[in-house]
Amino acid sequence: MNKILDKRIGITLLIVIAIIFPFMVDNPYIARLMTLSFIYTIAIYGMNLLAGFTGYLSLAHAGFFAIGAYALGIFTTRYEMSFWLAFIVAILLTTVVGAIIGLIALRTREHFFAIYTLIVGYLIYLIIDKWDEMTGGVRGLIGIPAPSAIGPIEFNTDRAMYYLALVFFLVATLVVTRIVKSLTGRTFIAIRNSEDLAQTIGINTQTNKLTSFIISIVFAAVAGALYASYVRFLGPDIANLPMVFDFLMYLIVGGLGTITGPIVGTMLITFLTQFLQSLQEYRMLIFGPILTLLVIFYPTGIVGAISIFKMKFQNKRRLKAEAGINQDVNQVKEG
C-alpha cells in the first residue's frame, strides 16, 4: 500500500514539475526541446508496444510518423481542411495504410519482419522525396498552420504548444499503461515470450499482432501530426534511416519493454544530442558504440538496469533479514 502511495505521489510530483517547467526555465529553446521530447515519446510508445511488449521490431515506424505528419500538412495547406478535421483524417489514413502493410508484414517473423519493415520505411521515404507535386519533394512542405483554437484556448505560441504536447503525452502514457496491464497487454507479452506456446493455449496470435501493429501506428500518426503542427515545416528526412536510428536509440537506451523507458531514453538522447551539436557530424560514431555496449551489458536499457539493481538490493536485504532472524532463533534455542 505504501509503495502504491509513494508511486502516485511521485507521478503527481513529476506532472506538477512538467506543468510549471516553462516558468522554471529562462531559455525558450529548452522548452522547445521538451515539447519535441513529448512528441517523440508518443511515437516511441507505439514502437515499444510492438517491439518491447509484442516482440516485433518495426523499422518502418519513422515512415508512419512521416505519413501522419505529411497527411496533416497536405490536408491543411493544399486542401485547406480545418486543422482538427485534418488531424483526425491524417491519423485514420496512416492507420489504414499501416494496417494494409501489417497484414503482409506480419506473415514474417523476427529479423525477416525487421528487414521487411525497413524496406517499407525506405519506400515511404522515396515516395515523399520524389513526389514533388504532392509533398514538395526535397524542397519540403511549408506553411503548415498551428492547431486551431478550442474555445478560448489558442495554440499560436510555443508555450501553448508545449501544454498541448504535454496533454497528448500524458494521455498516451495513460493509454499505454492501461493496455500493458490489461488482458490484451498480457496477450502481447505472451506472444513476445513464445508465439508458438501462445498459439497452443488458444491465443489468436495473428489478430493480436495486427492489433499491436495498428495501435503502434496510431501513436506514430498522432506524434507525426503534432510534429507537423509544431515545426510547421516538413522535409523528407523525417522518414529517412537516421530518423529510424534515432527512434530505435531512444527506445533501447530508455528500456525496451518498459513503460517509463521511452520517456527516459527520448528525453536523455534529445537533450544530449542538442548539447553536443558541435559533434553533430560524428553523432553516429559517438552513439553507435554506446548503443552497442548498452545492448551487450544492459539489454533492458537504463530503466531495466535500475529495476534489476533495485531487485537485487531488495533480495539482498531480505536474505540479510532472514539470516538475522535465523540467528536469533538459534540463540534462543541454545539459551
Side-chain angles (χ1 to χ4, degrees):
M1 186 66 183
N2 290 332
K3 288 183 179 179
I4 295 174
L5 187 62
D6 291 342
K7 188 175 181 180
R8 287 179 178 175
I9 292 172
I11 292 172
T12 303
L13 182 61
L14 289 174
I15 293 173
V16 171
I17 292 172
I19 292 171
I20 64 174
F21 183 80
F23 302 97
M24 294 169 57
V25 293
D26 296 328
N27 189 350
Y29 182 66
I30 303 298
R32 285 182 64 86
L33 285 181
M34 280 297 292
T35 305
L36 286 173
S37 295
F38 291 149
I39 293 170
Y40 288 146
T41 302
I42 295 170
I44 305 307
Y45 269 140
M47 194 176 192
N48 190 35
L49 192 65
L50 184 61
F53 291 101
T54 315
Y56 277 74
L57 177 61
S58 172
L59 297 178
H61 205 67
F64 296 127
F65 176 86
I67 292 175
Y70 267 91
L72 178 100
I74 290 168
F75 289 143
T76 52
T77 58
R78 300 196 186 280
Y79 297 102
E80 298 182 351
M81 193 179 289
S82 64
F83 178 86
W84 292 111
L85 178 60
F87 188 87
I88 294 169
V89 174
I91 294 169
L92 291 175
L93 176 64
T94 308
T95 304
V96 170
V97 172
I100 294 169
I101 292 170
L103 285 170
I104 302 168
L106 290 169
R107 294 177 181 274
T108 62
R109 289 191 185 185
E110 300 173 350
H111 55 281
F112 297 107
F113 176 82
I115 293 169
Y116 181 86
T117 53
L118 178 64
I119 294 169
V120 168
Y122 192 68
L123 286 174
I124 292 171
Y125 161 72
L126 288 178
I127 291 169
I128 292 172
D129 186 55
K130 304 302 180 184
W131 197 1
D132 289 355
E133 295 82 4
M134 185 62 68
T135 65
V138 294
R139 297 188 306 274
L141 195 64
I142 61 174
I144 300 169
S148 53
I150 300 176
I153 305 173
E154 296 184 349
F155 303 101
N156 51 8
T157 65
D158 283 345
R159 184 167 292 178
M161 284 300 299
Y162 171 90
Y163 286 114
L164 180 65
L166 176 61
V167 169
F168 274 94
F169 163 74
L170 292 175
V171 171
T173 304
L174 178 63
V175 170
V176 167
T177 304
R178 291 300 181 102
I179 290 173
V180 170
K181 293 184 177 180
S182 69
L183 180 60
T184 301
R186 293 189 182 97
T187 304
F188 293 162
I189 294 170
I191 293 171
R192 179 196 67 188
N193 292 340
S194 175
E195 188 170 340
D196 294 330
L197 180 59
Q199 285 179 329
T200 60
I201 62 176
I203 294 174
N204 188 331
T205 55
Q206 196 66 20
T207 300
N208 281 282
K209 287 188 299 183
L210 184 60
T211 301
S212 178
F213 192 82
I214 290 172
I215 294 172
S216 75
I217 290 168
V218 171
F219 278 92
V222 170
L226 282 173
Y227 178 84
S229 65
Y230 183 55
V231 299
R232 304 176 72 176
F233 166 80
L234 296 173
D237 287 345
I238 63 170
N240 206 355
L241 294 179
M243 194 70 169
V244 177
F245 178 82
D246 286 345
F247 280 1
L248 189 59
M249 184 163 56
Y250 297 156
L251 180 56
I252 293 176
V253 169
L256 195 66
T258 63
I259 293 175
T260 55
I263 305 172
V264 174
T266 304
M267 293 192 177
L268 178 65
I269 300 300
T270 299
F271 277 88
L272 193 60
T273 301
Q274 293 301 319
F275 289 131
L276 295 175
Q277 280 188 345
S278 59
L279 301 174
Q280 195 74 358
E281 294 181 3
Y282 308 100
R283 187 165 59 98
M284 295 294 184
L285 292 175
I286 295 170
F287 288 118
I290 293 174
L291 192 60
T292 303
L293 292 172
L294 193 66
V295 169
I296 293 171
F297 295 104
Y298 299 105
T300 53
I302 294 172
V303 173
I306 292 171
S307 299
I308 291 170
F309 284 132
K310 187 177 178 181
M311 191 179 299
K312 286 182 178 179
F313 179 73
Q314 288 175 344
N315 289 337
K316 192 173 181 180
R317 286 185 63 184
R318 181 176 56 80
L319 292 172
K320 190 175 180 180
E322 288 176 358
I325 291 170
N326 291 334
Q327 188 176 2
D328 292 341
V329 170
N330 291 331
Q331 287 177 353
V332 170
K333 285 181 180 180
E334 290 174 0

